């Protein structure tokens, strides 16, 4: 059984923004972690390419929608390369492959008698690609997300019988592990309790979409087709395009990580569609919060959008990852503040973890001929060994519960306590007496060994920093399974060479 994790399929109306980087980095950390734990992982990302918004955008630029999509899709894959994202599948919903799976899926839903022709009247936000429930003063009402007027729609559409699944959806969302966090789950429970209405799954005024088989003017509603990208991605590498191949490729997903704004589609519409087509449900939908900047909502009109490319070129991958993973509790909103960012990187990574490694490896080199001390009894009966064990256990529990911020703090606290241990033992005073040398060796070995474990635990979160720590400690792990058996205490090779120290992380300056 594979562990399947998905980012949302990003809408190609624009290049990736910090929010998409955030979601993708979190998924990347989880995927790396699961692989390190020995699981077979399928990490899916991709782009959602259809819909009126894209059609209009391409028209504005006088290009073919497909060419527009190709351009933006390339920008996404380039970005994921720049950020070293270890995805396994990149699905494009404008691909022939995807279309085949959508058509087959639609056939199944139709067979379940869940499709009928009706008339869709209502106020529509093209930005959201969503009908809004009877807003007051509808003609002047602006979508709060897009600040744009709604458009009136009165057209024949195909409908999906969502109302039929009322009690089944209630049962699904009552399972506390299905939607996280709790607050998001309560919002959905509240929404569903008002009664589910059938929703339209086709459009007659949108050419840029997948044609509904047998219905000339109709294309599928963008959400109906896009959600299926999670399934069609699973058979991307198969020669034959078919829904069954996709299902056998690893469905159901273990976790859909999404922004809270698209939770309703994933936690209500999607499960109903899957039941209708006879597919299993995803195990979990995790809705993360929004990012603000210096306490303010980011927006083009406000001119305060933080460009992730700039962030990357200025600070590099690991500092940005550390901030996004450690400072934001997954599910809550997060705020990017430059001063806080600089402080966290300097305190946590440079002053605590970097400094711990540097001072200890320098002492060891100076006192023990550029080597890790030898003749040390690696007993687990010392405070750092027991702290290491507690840290590893906590970290694994937190990671398994998708509490990545707490898992990061577990590493940091271990580093803080190791620094305290060193300050408390004061080996630089003890070393002055020859009779203390065996004890000094033990102290230095313990601290170096703690640092080795800190480096390993950092691997899914900060892969580059982790690798630098390994290099500096002279550790070489099996590339495919660096964690296997390695999180135990006392494995740092005694008497091995310690390479010349180099700064593993640069201190940042305020803007
Ligand atoms: Zn909107």
């Amino acid at each position: 059984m594979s562990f399947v994790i998905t980012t949302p399929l990003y809408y190609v109306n624009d290049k990736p923004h910090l929010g998409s980087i955030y979601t993708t980095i979190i998924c990347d950390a989880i995927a790396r972690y699961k692989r390190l734990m020995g699981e077979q992982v399928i990490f899916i990302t991709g782009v959602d390419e259809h819909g009126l918004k894209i059609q209009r955008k391409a028209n504005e630029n006088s290009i073919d929608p497909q060419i527009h999509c190709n351009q933006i899709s390339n920008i996404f894959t380039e970005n994921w390369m720049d950020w070293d994202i270890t995805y396994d599948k990149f699905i494009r919903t404008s691909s022939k492959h995807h279309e085949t799976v959508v058509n087959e899926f639609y056939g199944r839903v139709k067979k379940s008698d869940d499709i009928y022709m009706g008339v869709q009247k209502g106020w529509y936000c093209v930005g959201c690609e969503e009908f809004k429930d009877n807003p007051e003063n509808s003609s002047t009402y602006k979508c709060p997300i897009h600040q744009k007027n709604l458009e009136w729609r009165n057209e024949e559409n195909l409908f999906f019988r969502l109302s039929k699944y009322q009690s089944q959806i209630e049962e699904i969302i009552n399972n506390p592990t299905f939607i996280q966090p709790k607050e998001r789950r309560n919002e959905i429970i509240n929404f569903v309790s008002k009664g589910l209405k059938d929703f339209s799954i086709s459009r007659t005024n949108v050419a840029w979409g997948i044609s509904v088989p047998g219905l000339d003017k109709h294309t599928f509603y963008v959400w109906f087709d896009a959600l299926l990208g999670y399934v069609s991605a699973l058979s991307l590498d198969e020669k034959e395009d078919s829904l069954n191949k996709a299902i056998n490729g690893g469905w159901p997903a273990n976790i859909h990580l999404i922004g809270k704004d698209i939770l309703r589609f994933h936690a209500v519409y999607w499960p109903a569609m899957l039941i209708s087509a006879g597919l299993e449900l995803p195990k979990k939908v995790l809705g993360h919060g929004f990012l603000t900047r210096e306490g303010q909502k980011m927006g083009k009109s406000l001119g305060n959008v933080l460009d992730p490319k700039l962030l990357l070129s200025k600070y590099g991958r690991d500092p940005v990852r550390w901030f996004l993973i450690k400072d934001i509790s997954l599910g809550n909103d997060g705020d990017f503040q430059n001063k806080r960012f600089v402080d966290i990187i300097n305190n946590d990574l440079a002053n605590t973890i970097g400094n711990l490694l540097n001072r200890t490896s320098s002492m060891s080199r100076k006192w023990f001929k550029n080597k890790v001390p030898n003749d040390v009894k690696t007993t687990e009966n010392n405070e750092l060994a027991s702290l290491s064990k507690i840290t590893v256990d906590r970290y694994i529990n937190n990671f398994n519960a998708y509490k990545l911020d707490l898992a990061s703090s577990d590493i940091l606290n271990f580093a803080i306590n190791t620094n305290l241990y060193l300050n408390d033992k004061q080996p630089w005073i003890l070393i002055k007496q020859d009779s203390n040398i065996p004890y000094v060796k033990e102290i230095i070995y313990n601290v170096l060994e703690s640092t080795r474990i800190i480096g390993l635990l950092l691997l899914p979160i900060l892969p580059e920093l982790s690798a630098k720590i390994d290099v500096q400690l002279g550790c070489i792990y099996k590339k495919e399974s660096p964690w296997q058996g390695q999180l135990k205490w006392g494995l740092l090779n005694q008497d091995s060479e310690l390479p010349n120290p180099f700064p593993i992380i640069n201190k940042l300056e305020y803007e």
Side-chain angles (χ1 to χ4, degrees):
M1 279 282 276
S2 299
F3 179 87
V4 178
I5 180 167
T6 71
T7 71
L9 302 189
Y10 298 109
Y11 206 46
V12 293
N13 61 321
D14 212 346
K15 57 186 198 267
H17 51 76
L18 192 61
S20 5
I21 307 290
Y22 173 59
T23 322
T24 311
I25 283 176
I26 298 288
C27 283
D28 182 64
I30 296 171
R32 287 176 189 261
Y33 166 78
K34 291 285 179 183
R35 290 186 197 113
L36 287 163
M37 295 296 280
E39 292 194 45
Q40 193 67 252
V41 173
I42 304 177
F43 171 10
I44 296 171
T45 189
V47 282
D48 169 9
E49 307 182 83
H50 291 127
L52 188 54
K53 191 148 80 163
I54 301 307
Q55 186 177 310
R56 285 188 183 166
K57 183 110 190 172
N59 284 348
E60 275 168 34
N61 301 329
S62 313
I63 53 170
D64 187 72
Q66 185 66 64
I67 292 173
H68 166 86
C69 290
N70 294 349
Q71 287 168 352
I72 304 280
S73 176
N74 283 341
I75 295 176
F76 271 91
T77 49
E78 278 164 18
N79 258 273
W80 302 149
M81 207 133 74
D82 292 344
W83 287 94
D84 194 20
I85 300 298
T86 59
Y87 65 84
D88 300 291
K89 312 269 185 193
F90 188 92
I91 182 72
R92 295 189 55 183
T93 60
S94 69
S95 62
K96 190 80 200 139
H97 165 81
H98 178 68
E99 187 181 332
T100 309
V101 172
V102 170
N103 285 341
E104 267 190 67
F105 184 90
Y106 170 69
R108 287 204 192 188
V109 173
K110 222 173 133 184
K111 235 184 183 165
S112 302
D113 193 26
D114 283 337
I115 303 289
Y116 64 93
M117 187 68 85
V119 173
Q120 175 79 60
K121 279 188 203 173
W123 292 97
Y124 194 75
C125 172
V126 177
C128 295
E129 294 281 8
E130 191 179 22
F131 281 95
K132 300 290 170 183
D133 299 334
N134 304 318
E136 283 172 42
N137 306 319
S138 305
S139 54
T140 52
Y141 176 90
K142 285 187 193 321
C143 163
I145 299 168
H146 295 95
Q147 300 301 327
K148 275 189 184 151
N149 287 332
L150 304 180
E151 297 178 19
W152 177 252
R153 288 277 190 281
N154 180 358
E155 61 179 43
E156 272 210 320
N157 284 169
L158 287 176
F159 280 76
F160 172 74
R161 282 187 218 282
L162 181 63
S163 55
K164 181 173 138 186
Y165 295 96
Q166 179 77 30
S167 61
Q168 274 164 288
I169 295 295
E170 276 170 7
E171 197 179 313
I172 292 160
I173 60 181
N174 270 325
N175 169 3
T177 60
F178 183 63
I179 303 171
Q180 270 187 343
K182 207 169 61 228
E183 299 76 22
R184 299 285 97 74
R185 183 172 156 249
N186 291 337
E187 287 165 19
I188 293 293
I189 288 176
N190 184 36
F191 168 73
V192 173
S193 72
K194 291 175 188 156
L196 293 174
K197 292 191 202 114
D198 298 347
F199 72 102
S200 67
I201 61 149
S202 76
R203 297 289 182 267
T204 50
N205 63 343
V206 184
W208 181 238
I210 297 176
S211 301
V212 177
L215 276 177
D216 268 358
K217 276 187 276 172
H218 291 249
T219 53
F220 284 112
Y221 169 45
V222 56
W223 269 109
F224 184 83
D225 119 50
L227 287 163
L228 276 159
Y230 299 136
V231 179
S232 67
L234 288 165
S235 60
L236 268 177
D237 306 322
E238 300 284 343
K239 279 196 197 95
E240 179 200 344
D241 297 332
S242 84
L243 180 56
N244 270 332
K245 284 265 181 213
I247 296 167
N248 294 335
W251 191 255
N254 293 72
I255 177 167
H256 291 313
L257 187 75
I258 54 166
K260 61 182 176 183
D261 51 330
I262 52 175
L263 192 59
R264 208 181 276 185
F265 292 103
H266 287 80
V268 181
Y269 296 11
W270 182 225
M273 286 163 57
L274 289 166
I275 300 170
S276 172
L279 265 70
E280 280 186 62
L281 302 184
K283 303 266 195 302
K284 187 188 289 299
V285 180
L286 206 160
H288 66 69
F290 287 148
L291 294 179
T292 50
R293 181 179 189 183
E294 311 289 343
Q296 271 208 314
K297 209 186 147 194
M298 279 186 264
K300 269 187 189 156
S301 51
L302 291 164
N304 66 343
V305 176
L306 192 56
D307 179 7
K309 257 205 142 74
L310 206 72
L311 217 52
L312 180 62
S313 63
K314 213 156 154 193
Y315 301 118
R317 292 188 275 251
D318 277 354
V320 179
R321 282 176 77 105
W322 183 252
F323 183 85
L324 294 177
I325 294 173
K326 190 219 161 207
D327 201 48
I328 303 169
S329 170
L330 191 52
N332 293 352
D333 290 338
D335 189 35
F336 188 92
Q337 298 167 18
N338 192 265
K339 183 175 181 299
R340 187 173 168 77
F341 174 78
V342 170
D343 285 345
I344 283 177
I345 301 311
N346 288 348
N347 290 339
D348 297 357
L349 302 186
N351 298 345
T352 303
I353 295 174
N355 190 35
L356 173 69
L357 173 63
N358 257 310
R359 68 203 277 230
T360 325
S361 73
S362 300
M363 283 181 232
S364 196
R365 284 172 56 83
K366 186 167 152 201
W367 300 334
F368 308 113
K369 301 178 183 150
N370 301 334
K371 284 178 175 178
V372 176
N374 58 5
D375 300 325
V376 180
K377 266 210 201 107
T378 58
T379 155
E380 289 187 16
N381 194 8
N382 76 73
E383 51 202 283
L384 284 187
S386 27
L387 196 57
S388 167
K389 192 176 178 324
I390 293 168
T391 301
V392 171
D393 289 347
R394 269 198 200 138
Y395 169 97
I396 286 175
N397 282 335
N398 281 324
F399 234 116
N400 287 343
Y402 304 114
K403 292 176 178 164
L404 276 64
D405 57 329
L406 299 184
S408 309
S409 295
D410 291 332
I411 307 174
L412 184 68
N413 289 334
F414 186 29
I416 290 170
N417 283 310
T418 308
N419 267 319
L420 289 176
Y421 169 93
L422 198 59
N423 294 348
D424 184 47
K425 303 289 183 198
Q426 298 187 306
W428 47 91
I429 291 174
L430 295 173
I431 193 78
K432 289 173 185 161
Q433 256 186 15
D434 277 357
S435 60
N436 286 332
I437 286 178
Y439 186 42
V440 171
K441 280 183 168 179
E442 193 186 313
I443 295 165
I444 296 295
Y445 181 86
N446 287 343
V447 176
L448 286 170
E449 174 63 351
S450 295
T451 315
R452 181 187 72 86
I453 288 171
I454 288 167
L456 277 176
L457 294 180
L458 280 173
L459 192 48
I461 301 169
L462 307 179
E464 286 173 79
L465 188 69
S466 170
K468 284 182 191 165
I469 293 174
D470 293 347
V471 170
Q472 193 150 140
L473 290 173
C475 291
I476 299 159
Y477 298 103
K478 269 190 275 174
K479 213 173 164 25
E480 62 283 6
S481 57
W483 272 12
Q484 203 176 39
Q486 293 296 325
L487 293 172
K488 276 188 303 204
W489 183 261
L491 300 180
L492 181 66
N493 281 331
Q494 298 189 15
D495 218 18
S496 63
E497 289 282 339
L498 282 171
N500 255 321
F502 60 94
I504 54 165
I505 189 106
N506 293 320
K507 272 201 170 192
L508 306 179
E509 310 248 333
Y510 294 128
E511 292 265 284

